[in-house]
Amino acid sequence: MSGKTHPWGAPPWTVDFRPAPHTLPEQVDFAIVGGGFTGLSAAAWLRRLSPKKSVVVFESSSLGQGASGRTGGLALAETAAGPLPGLSDVLAGYQEILRKLRIDSSLELPGVWELGRSNTANKLPICWSDSGDLKVVRTVPGGAVDPGKVVAGLGRAVENAGAQIIEHAQVHAIEYSNPPRLQIRRKVRSHVQQTEIRASQILLATNAFSLELAGLRGTAQAKLTLALATRPLTAGQLKAIGLSSRHPFYTIDLPYLWGRLLESNGIVFGAGLVPMPASIDALFSKPSGPSAQQSAEPNLYRFDVRKGEAAESFCWLESRVHKLHPALRSARITHRWAGPILFTEGMRPIFRHHPRSENVMVLAGYNGHGVALSVYLGQWAAEALLGKRPLPDWR
Ligand SMILES: Cc1cc2nc3c(=O)[nH]c(=O)nc-3n(C[C@H](O)[C@H](O)[C@H](O)COP(=O)(O)OP(=O)(O)OC[C@H]3O[C@@H](n4cnc5c(N)ncnc54)[C@H](O)[C@@H]3O)c2cc1C
């Protein structure tokens, strides 16, 4: 992550990988737009399955600055809409992918607790106070990963497979010719270069950003969600609050709350949604005048989660955490951050061809349920781009 303070805050992990510098090619076989879990997984698999094809990932910011580096890190089964046709076992597939790409992710799968406030919930080991008594309702398959390690591991896997990653390269338009052409603004030192690249096929893995580009404006909604981390708790505190077994958790009724232990024994808690700026695309600087030439990145500094509605939501989350249990009353909050989530109709992921071209594929919209799923579907997208597997029909 960058050294300067990001207006969306910073999570407690790091992404210890930076791609090697590259010059932009004029033509590629596969252009992947978006360097999050989805795009990186697809890029790594494209090269593994077809080592002679050229693959380039374009990332408008730096790796880890989208949802993937800011996520909660709960690895969950299925999709937010449950099992879907052809999906198979997401968690088993995720484990297999991490193993094959040699990614040290700190994945642990003890199961995830669903918490509820109903009378039928079990009391132990959780008994927290949060708009009622929060207790365990059931345990579902899943666990947690270190998101920083997964982003870094996928980045390395992409480069080791022979694909290129180009950071600070924003795809701001696509011309739907045959082959399609990507218009790219790339930040090189303090200058912005405008380039056009031809690609045989394109995967748009841009998640909650670039909705216009992905043809998702009006069909999906982008929101920011909030998370915080406490400083490490003692073994006694963990026992008192019922988290010694290290089960991640989320509530099944409102107000929503999710969380998990970090390796350090700090706890990540998350909840709350605030609208993304009306048009996140409008936050991208346009290099039309001398002052606008300075950045090819989304100017996220105009939207600061330390102010306004987001700041109020953080205060509310913090006070809920402190009131959950007496052992958490004085837990110090060390990190506060936000990240984007894309909500879709019926909570189903969007995995289809772009309405304007069969050579452009869109994969996004996991509805806050994308840690394992994005990597898993990234592999499927690679197979589909190579014509080895059809796309699902989840509409
Ligand atoms: C705070 C938070 C907590 C979450 N917790 C969980 C959880 O516990 N469990 C779970 O399963 N899911 C969770 N999620 C959801 C999960 O993190 C996401 O579904 C997943 O990371 C999406 O990965 P992605 O690669 O599709 O998107 P992203 O990681 O957002 O990647 C998209 C990338 O595309 C880049 N980009 C966008 N537009 C352009 C462009 N025009 N040109 C070039 N690059 C572009 C962006 O900069 C970004 O890096 C959470 C999300 C958030 C924000």
Side-chain angles (χ1 to χ4, degrees):
M1 302 263 166
S2 83
K4 63 185 170 186
T5 316
H6 194 288
W8 290 4
W13 47 81
T14 49
V15 176
D16 67 347
F17 167 78
R18 290 275 70 88
H22 293 285
T23 50
L24 287 179
E26 286 180 8
Q27 177 163 8
V28 291
D29 292 314
F30 297 104
I32 311 293
V33 188
F37 292 151
T38 305
L40 294 174
S41 170
W45 282 100
L46 276 168
R47 282 289 298 196
R48 274 180 74 101
L49 296 170
S50 192
K52 292 202 173 126
K53 301 280 185 192
S54 55
V55 179
V56 179
V57 178
F58 298 100
E59 166 53 50
S60 60
S61 181
S62 48
L63 298 191
Q65 291 294 12
S68 302
R70 308 179 151 271
T71 186
L74 274 71
L76 301 166
E78 304 173 343
T79 73
L84 291 174
L87 188 67
S88 203
D89 188 336
V90 173
L91 282 174
Y94 183 55
Q95 276 180 288
E96 182 73 357
I97 291 170
L98 294 175
R99 190 183 63 75
K100 284 191 172 154
L101 298 181
R102 297 172 190 272
I103 296 173
D104 163 24
S105 62
S106 299
L107 175 67
E108 286 177 15
L109 295 170
V112 175
W113 281 334
E114 290 191 338
L115 307 183
R117 296 161 176 99
S118 72
N119 293 333
T120 53
N122 291 322
K123 246 189 159 43
L124 294 171
I126 299 285
C127 193
W128 297 345
S129 172
D130 183 48
S131 302
D133 289 339
L134 262 184
K135 301 168 205 160
V136 177
V137 175
R138 65 172 186 150
T139 306
V140 295
V145 284
D146 179 324
K149 286 187 182 176
V150 178
V151 171
L154 284 169
R156 280 190 198 99
V158 169
E159 282 203 342
N160 291 343
Q164 297 179 2
I165 302 170
I166 304 191
E167 292 183 315
H168 309 289
Q170 183 219 346
V171 175
H172 65 93
I174 295 174
E175 200 181 298
Y176 294 95
S177 46
N178 197 6
R181 292 161 191 266
L182 301 106
Q183 311 285 340
I184 294 166
R185 289 188 198 121
R186 187 184 184 196
K187 189 179 170 192
V188 183
R189 286 179 286 277
S190 57
H191 294 288
V192 174
Q193 289 176 352
Q194 293 255 49
T195 319
E196 186 180 274
I197 290 172
R198 294 187 301 281
S200 304
Q201 294 196 65
I202 300 171
L203 173 66
L204 292 172
T206 47
N207 188 30
F209 307 84
S210 304
L211 297 186
E212 205 73 56
L213 191 74
L216 298 178
R217 173 83 60 224
T219 57
Q221 271 205 336
K223 300 242 160 137
L224 281 173
T225 189
L226 311 179
L228 54 80
T230 70
R231 81 166 169 213
L233 301 183
T234 63
Q237 283 174 303
L238 291 182
K239 189 165 176 220
I241 62 175
L243 284 184
S244 298
S245 60
R246 309 188 77 80
H247 285 76
F249 54 86
Y250 59 80
T251 62
I252 52 169
D253 46 26
L254 297 175
Y256 191 51
L257 184 74
W258 57 264
R260 68 166 176 107
L261 274 181
L262 294 164
E263 278 179 294
S264 67
N265 285 346
I267 312 183
V268 174
F269 288 98
L273 295 170
V274 287
M276 289 265 271
S279 163
I280 194 77
D281 303 313
L283 295 179
F284 284 97
S285 311
K286 293 198 173 68
S288 50
S291 61
Q293 292 264 332
Q294 278 150 26
S295 171
E297 290 179 54
N299 192 354
L300 303 174
Y301 285 84
R302 289 186 216 162
F303 189 77
D304 193 331
V305 294
R306 293 162 297 190
K307 297 176 186 162
E309 196 183 332
E312 284 168 26
S313 300
F314 268 119
C315 281
W316 184 54
L317 176 57
E318 217 167 301
S319 84
R320 282 174 68 194
V321 166
H322 284 138
K323 287 179 191 153
L324 276 181
H325 190 280
L328 287 171
R329 201 159 289 146
S330 58
R332 193 161 69 80
I333 309 300
T334 53
H335 297 77
R336 295 170 186 79
W337 72 97
I341 288 193
L342 189 62
F343 290 95
T344 63
E345 204 179 307
M347 311 283 270
R348 288 184 298 268
I350 293 164
F351 193 8
R352 63 181 187 218
H353 290 293
H354 192 281
R356 295 185 62 187
S357 173
E358 284 287 302
N359 293 324
V360 183
M361 196 179 278
V362 180
L363 176 52
Y366 309 114
N367 299 273
H369 191 114
V371 164
L373 189 62
S374 55
V375 173
Y376 181 76
L377 294 183
Q379 183 190 36
W380 186 339
E383 291 165 345
L385 285 163
L386 291 165
K388 293 178 188 288
R389 192 175 177 184
L391 288 181
D393 186 359
W394 292 340
R395 272 167 288 180

